[in-house]
Amino acid sequence: MRYCLLLVALLVFTFCRAQRLTMDKVPAAAAQAFKIKYPNGSQPGWIKASETTYEVQFFNGKKRQAAYFDDTGKWIETHSEAGYNQLPGKVRSIFERDFENYIVQEVYEIETPDKGFNYEVTAFKGKQSFIAVFSAKGELVKMEENTSVE
C-alpha cells in the first residue's frame, strides 16, 4: 500500500513540475492523432516532453496511460501502468529466476510502433534499486540503476 502511495505522489509531483499545456499550445496534428489512436481516452493532460515531442497523460477505461506524439502527429510510444501479474509468463519467469528476492515497485507496459510491447519493471532489494526492460519474449533489453529513489 505504501508503494502505491509513493507512486501516486511521484506521478503527481512529476505531472505538476512539468510544463502543462493548454490545448491551444498543443499542435493540432498531435491532438488529432491522440483522438484517433485513443478515442476512449479521457481527462487528457498535455506536457511538452522535448522540442518536438508531446506527452499526453490520460485514462483509457481505468488504466492510466501516457502516449507520446511528435509535432506532426506521429505516434512514438505509449506507457501503460500494469500489475506484476499482468506481465507475460516468460517475463515473470525470467525476472523471478534472475532477480530472486527483489521487490517489484512498478510495472509499465511500453508499446512502440517498431518494437511492439516491452515491459519495464522497477524493483529493489535493500538499497539497490533498478529499472529493467524486458521484451515480450522475456529477453532483458536494458537495465539501469534507478536513481530517482533514495
Side-chain angles (χ1 to χ4, degrees):
M1 179 65 173
R2 89 180 144 177
Y3 295 111
C4 290
L5 293 174
L6 178 64
L7 174 61
V8 169
L10 183 61
L11 287 172
V12 168
F13 173 75
T14 301
F15 193 73
C16 291
R17 201 181 80 180
Q19 179 189 359
R20 293 192 67 181
L21 300 175
T22 55
M23 285 308 295
D24 63 318
K25 302 284 190 223
V26 176
Q32 183 64 24
F34 166 70
K35 288 179 185 176
I36 291 169
K37 182 147 183 73
Y38 298 101
N40 297 321
S42 64
Q43 300 177 23
W46 289 87
I47 299 168
K48 188 168 185 176
S50 73
E51 192 63 35
T52 60
T53 304
Y54 295 81
E55 174 185 351
V56 56
Q57 296 178 358
F58 61 100
F59 287 94
N60 198 356
K62 292 183 179 182
K63 187 186 282 190
R64 180 129 173 99
Q65 296 183 294
Y68 298 81
F69 296 89
D70 72 11
D71 52 5
T72 68
K74 179 182 174 195
W75 171 64
I76 299 168
E77 67 183 22
T78 299
H79 296 215
S80 303
E81 288 181 336
Y84 182 74
N85 291 330
Q86 293 173 297
L87 287 171
K90 291 179 182 179
V91 175
R92 278 196 321 266
S93 295
I94 297 297
F95 180 83
E96 290 167 3
R97 182 192 75 199
D98 294 349
F99 301 99
E100 187 176 359
N101 297 320
Y102 279 79
I103 298 171
V104 174
Q105 290 176 297
E106 342 177 279
V107 175
Y108 287 94
E109 179 182 74
I110 302 169
E111 182 184 11
T112 61
D114 56 339
K115 296 178 186 168
F117 289 98
N118 282 330
Y119 300 89
E120 181 180 281
V121 179
T122 303
F124 71 94
K125 180 165 84 172
K127 293 185 178 184
Q128 183 183 14
S129 180
F130 66 89
I131 299 170
V133 178
F134 296 89
S135 72
K137 296 177 183 177
E139 301 160 333
L140 182 62
V141 175
K142 179 173 84 170
M143 185 168 151
E144 61 188 42
E145 183 180 349
N146 184 10
T147 57
S148 67
V149 178
E150 288 190 26

